[in-house]
């Protein structure tokens, strides 16, 4: 009966994925589908995370940078809700038979997590794995020199420098913040810097997926001691995306053992995840592991503003071997337009470099807008008054709560005037709806609109603020 349920579940998942592919083909057209989507595979699916695979790094980068919103929106529409989507490169395409075998191995591994001692006894005598591929190769671009320091990440930057200090007791360091703010970059930067001094020992950067797979192999073959030895051979250990270990109880237990042993022997451990320590247990992580992280150096990384995004772009351009030069106006446009994450901002720049990297030209603002138009079209959704308020706060250098609060300083009032004008002229919203969003009555909003019209005629700074809000709403 259980096998029948398993087969039925697998068949259902296969049908859903076929429907997903069909919907993607309709949405992007035959040409784009064949070029970028046809070999898309489903590696893992749960309500927490969807992991898709493609056949090459180039395809993964293009899907990530240009089509990621399409992938997400189509999945939610055709399959169902999820928290996060990941794209990986499938190094070797498995046959249908091999894929079926892998599914069976996953099922057995889950049983090991539930009853490790009993399963280990059943596997006595099996050759232990070597764990040679446990650590992932570092991205040469993710160094301290390429990291832009800003108020949003300054605490994490200081913690990263602390990880490299000598003559002090090693503390567990935990970077946390939403996707795309630079956690992986900072984690790998430490590993790069650590590796420059061979007397410290090797640096090991370990993804959550590699750790989980290695732990399953170790438990299945009764060789957890070998796993511990492999991990503790590194002088620096960086574990990424810790939040994805929710529900993997045995993996968390083994990680705790390694953390304590590494710190006791003077090694440095740095971990990155999306959630603050207080939220990890709520998300399904071991309470002891959450407490252990809370007891170390906790360094938040917040989403950056336009200033940070521009600094990131400038550093990328400085390090790029491209023959072209991207104008300051074009970089500023990317920084204020592609705001979903720093990763998206970099993706837009990469698209320009892909187009003009071999040409000795200056890419101006108009050229950048032309090239990136399709990227904006792919991700565009109907803008709302809330989007206008958020864009107004960023354009005028304010906090979001300033826009709807009761404070009346001139700079805040002017920002509200600009938001009202854009909501009325760009979004075609009614005064009562604008007033409700800004927590004002409609007569106040009407007066604000009239003042905005007067300011647009004579005030250059106000015009620039309105222009930025319009660009955010119109793409």
């Amino acid at each position: 009966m259980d096998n029948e349920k398993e087969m039925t579940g697998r068949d259902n998942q296969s049908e859903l994925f076929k429907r997903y592919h069909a919907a993607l083909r309709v949405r992007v057209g035959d040409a784009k589908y064949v070029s970028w989507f046809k070999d898309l595979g489903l590696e893992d699916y749960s309500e927490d995370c969807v992991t898709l695979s493609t056949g090459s790094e180039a395809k993964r980068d293009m899907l990530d940078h240009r089509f990621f919103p399409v992938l997400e929106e189509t999945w939610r529409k055709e399959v169902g809700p999820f928290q996060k989507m990941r794209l990986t490169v499938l190094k070797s395409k498995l046959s249908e038979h091999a894929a079926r075998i892998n599914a069976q191995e996953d099922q057995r591994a889950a049983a090991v997590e539930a009853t490790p001692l009993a399963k280990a006894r059943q596997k006595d005598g099996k050759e232990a794995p070597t764990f040679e591929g446990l650590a992932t190769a570092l991205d040469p671009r993710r160094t301290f020199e390429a990291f832009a320091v800003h108020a949003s990440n300054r605490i994490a930057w200081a913690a990263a420098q602390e990880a490299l200090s000598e003559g002090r007791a090693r503390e567990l360091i935990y970077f946390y913040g939403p996707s795309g703010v630079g956690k992986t970059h900072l984690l790998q930067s430490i590993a790069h810097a650590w590796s420059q001094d061979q007397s410290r020992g090797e640096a090991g950067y370990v993804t959550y997926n590699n750790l989980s797979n290695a732990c399953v192999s170790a438990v299945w073959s009764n060789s957890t001691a070998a796993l511990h030895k492999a991990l503790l051979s590194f002088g620096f250990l960086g574990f990424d995306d810790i939040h994805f270990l929710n529900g993997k109880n045995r993996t968390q237990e083994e990680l705790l053992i390694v953390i304590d042993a590494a710190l006791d022997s003077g090694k440095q451990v740095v971990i990155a995840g999306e959630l603050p320590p207080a939220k990890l247990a709520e998300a399904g992580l071991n309470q002891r592991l959450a407490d252990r992280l809370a007891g170390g150096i906790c360094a938040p990384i917040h989403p950056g503003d336009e200033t940070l995004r521009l600094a990131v772009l400038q550093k990328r351009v400085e390090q790029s071997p491209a023959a072209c030069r991207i104008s300051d106006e074009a970089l500023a446009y990317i920084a204020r337009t592609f705001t979903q994450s720093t990763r998206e901002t970099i993706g837009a720049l990469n698209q320009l470099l892909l187009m003009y990297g071999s040409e000795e030209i200056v890419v101006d603002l108009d050229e950048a807008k032309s090239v990136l138009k399709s990227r904006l079209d792919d991700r565009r959704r109907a803008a709302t008054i809330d989007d206008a308020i958020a864009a107004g706060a960023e354009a005028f250098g304010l906090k979001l709560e300033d826009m709807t609060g009761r404070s009346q300083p001139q700079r805040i009032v002017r920002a509200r005037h600009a938001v009202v004008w854009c909501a009325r002229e760009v979004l075609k919203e009614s005064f009562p709806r604008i007033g409700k969003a800004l927590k004002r009555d409609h007569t106040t909003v009407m007066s604000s609109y009239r003042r905005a019209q007067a300011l647009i005629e004579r005030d250059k700074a106000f015009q620039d603020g309105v222009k930025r809000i319009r660009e955010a709403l119109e793409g």
Side-chain angles (χ1 to χ4, degrees):
M1 181 64 72
D2 289 342
N3 288 339
E4 290 179 3
K5 288 182 178 178
E6 178 190 351
M7 292 176 64
T8 301
R10 220 167 31 234
D11 290 343
N12 289 342
Q13 193 174 83
S14 175
E15 287 303 315
L16 286 172
F17 197 56
K18 286 180 182 177
R19 191 169 73 192
Y20 179 61
H21 263 279
L24 285 173
R25 187 165 200 151
V26 170
R27 179 158 183 176
V28 303
D30 285 343
K32 286 183 180 178
Y33 175 82
V34 171
S35 297
W36 303 109
F37 296 85
K38 188 176 181 179
D39 71 342
L40 202 64
L42 178 62
E43 296 300 303
D44 190 28
Y45 167 46
S46 69
E47 290 188 1
D48 292 326
C49 182
V50 177
T51 303
L52 303 176
S53 64
T54 189
S56 69
E57 292 282 355
K59 283 189 178 182
R60 194 268 303 276
D61 288 347
M62 177 60 79
L63 291 172
D64 190 27
H65 294 151
R66 182 172 178 184
F67 296 112
F68 202 71
V70 174
L71 293 172
E72 289 184 316
E73 292 167 12
T74 306
W75 187 280
R76 288 192 172 97
K77 182 178 178 181
E78 298 296 330
V79 181
F82 63 93
Q83 295 297 318
K84 186 171 183 176
M85 178 174 283
R86 296 177 62 252
L87 287 170
T88 62
V89 177
L90 189 61
K91 294 182 179 178
S92 60
K93 295 186 177 181
L94 298 173
S95 67
E96 185 177 347
H97 175 70
R100 192 178 301 115
I101 294 297
N102 277 355
Q104 292 169 354
E105 286 292 330
D106 288 343
Q107 193 173 36
R108 283 198 293 269
V112 171
E113 292 273 282
T115 57
L117 293 177
K119 290 295 181 182
R121 281 195 293 270
Q122 292 174 21
K123 299 302 292 184
D124 278 346
K126 182 175 180 178
E127 184 180 350
T130 60
F131 305 113
E132 290 178 355
L134 184 57
T136 300
L138 300 174
D139 184 340
R141 298 169 298 180
R142 286 172 166 162
T143 64
F144 283 129
E145 290 73 18
F147 190 86
V149 184
H150 180 263
S152 61
N153 58 36
R154 201 173 300 280
I155 296 175
W157 172 265
Q161 307 311 306
E162 178 70 16
L164 297 165
S165 63
E166 297 289 352
R168 298 183 185 180
R170 295 293 178 189
E171 293 283 351
L172 175 63
I173 296 174
Y174 178 50
F175 299 137
Y176 65 92
S179 176
V181 294
K183 302 185 298 297
T184 297
H185 188 148
L186 204 51
L187 199 58
Q188 292 201 17
S189 295
I190 301 171
H192 276 298
W194 187 281
S195 299
Q196 292 172 6
D197 183 352
Q198 295 184 354
S199 66
R200 302 177 194 246
E202 291 186 52
Y205 168 72
V206 184
T207 65
Y208 84 93
N209 197 42
N210 279 11
L211 178 63
S212 180
N213 290 340
C215 187
V216 167
S217 296
V219 173
W220 185 239
S221 60
N222 198 22
S223 56
T224 54
L227 172 61
H228 298 164
K229 183 177 179 180
L231 287 168
L232 293 172
S233 67
F234 297 105
F236 167 81
L237 274 169
F239 296 101
D240 208 355
D241 286 331
I242 190 73
H243 50 283
F244 283 130
L245 294 181
N246 61 313
K248 301 180 184 297
N249 298 328
R250 184 59 187 268
T251 301
Q252 294 176 51
E253 289 289 346
E254 299 303 330
L255 177 58
L256 268 168
I257 293 171
V258 170
I259 289 172
D260 290 337
L263 294 174
D264 288 343
S265 57
K267 302 176 187 296
Q268 181 64 63
V269 181
V270 182
I271 295 176
E274 289 193 351
L275 301 173
K279 298 289 186 182
L280 287 172
E282 296 177 15
L285 262 74
N286 185 310
Q287 182 65 60
R288 287 175 53 234
L289 179 57
D291 290 342
R292 195 73 181 83
L293 295 175
I297 298 174
C298 296
I301 305 181
H302 303 290
D305 59 12
E306 183 180 326
T307 303
L308 174 61
R309 293 193 293 273
L310 181 57
V312 169
L313 293 174
Q314 289 168 339
K315 282 184 173 287
R316 283 275 173 161
V317 169
E318 288 170 8
Q319 295 190 336
S320 171
C324 68
R325 187 176 76 81
I326 312 296
S327 72
D328 292 341
E329 292 80 8
L331 290 178
Y333 168 73
I334 294 172
R336 66 174 176 265
T337 304
F338 296 93
T339 61
Q340 291 182 350
S341 70
T342 306
R343 189 175 290 123
E344 186 200 31
T345 310
I346 293 171
L349 173 64
N350 287 343
Q351 192 164 334
L352 287 187
L353 295 176
L354 178 67
M355 291 293 295
Y356 301 109
S358 60
E359 302 178 34
E360 294 184 359
I361 64 171
V362 176
V363 181
D364 61 17
L365 177 59
D366 289 339
E367 198 65 39
K369 285 183 174 180
S370 175
V371 171
L372 297 173
K373 183 179 182 300
S374 62
R375 189 182 186 91
L376 287 169
D377 290 342
D378 288 337
R379 71 160 199 178
R380 182 171 287 133
R381 62 175 176 80
T384 66
I385 302 176
D386 288 338
D387 294 327
I389 293 172
E394 181 157 351
F396 286 85
L398 303 172
K399 296 178 181 178
L400 193 59
E401 53 267 28
D402 291 336
M403 304 299 294
T404 57
R406 307 315 300 176
S407 184
Q408 297 292 329
Q410 188 63 24
R411 63 192 185 93
I412 297 178
V413 172
R414 285 163 58 87
R416 291 183 192 133
H417 292 340
V419 169
V420 168
W421 191 90
C422 290
R424 183 66 175 173
E425 294 297 322
V426 179
L427 302 182
K428 309 302 181 184
E429 290 284 2
S430 67
F431 287 126
R433 281 177 56 82
I434 299 171
K436 183 178 181 180
L438 286 169
K439 299 180 181 179
R440 265 109 182 127
D441 61 66
H442 75 281
T443 56
T444 301
V445 171
M446 292 173 67
S447 174
S448 181
Y449 174 76
R450 289 192 293 271
R451 293 179 185 179
Q453 287 181 307
L455 286 169
I456 287 175
E457 296 295 326
R458 66 173 190 269
D459 192 312
K460 179 66 168 60
F462 188 80
Q463 292 172 9
D464 290 342
V466 168
K467 179 182 177 182
R468 289 189 173 193
I469 298 172
R470 291 196 69 147
E471 285 181 346
L473 298 178
E474 297 175 339

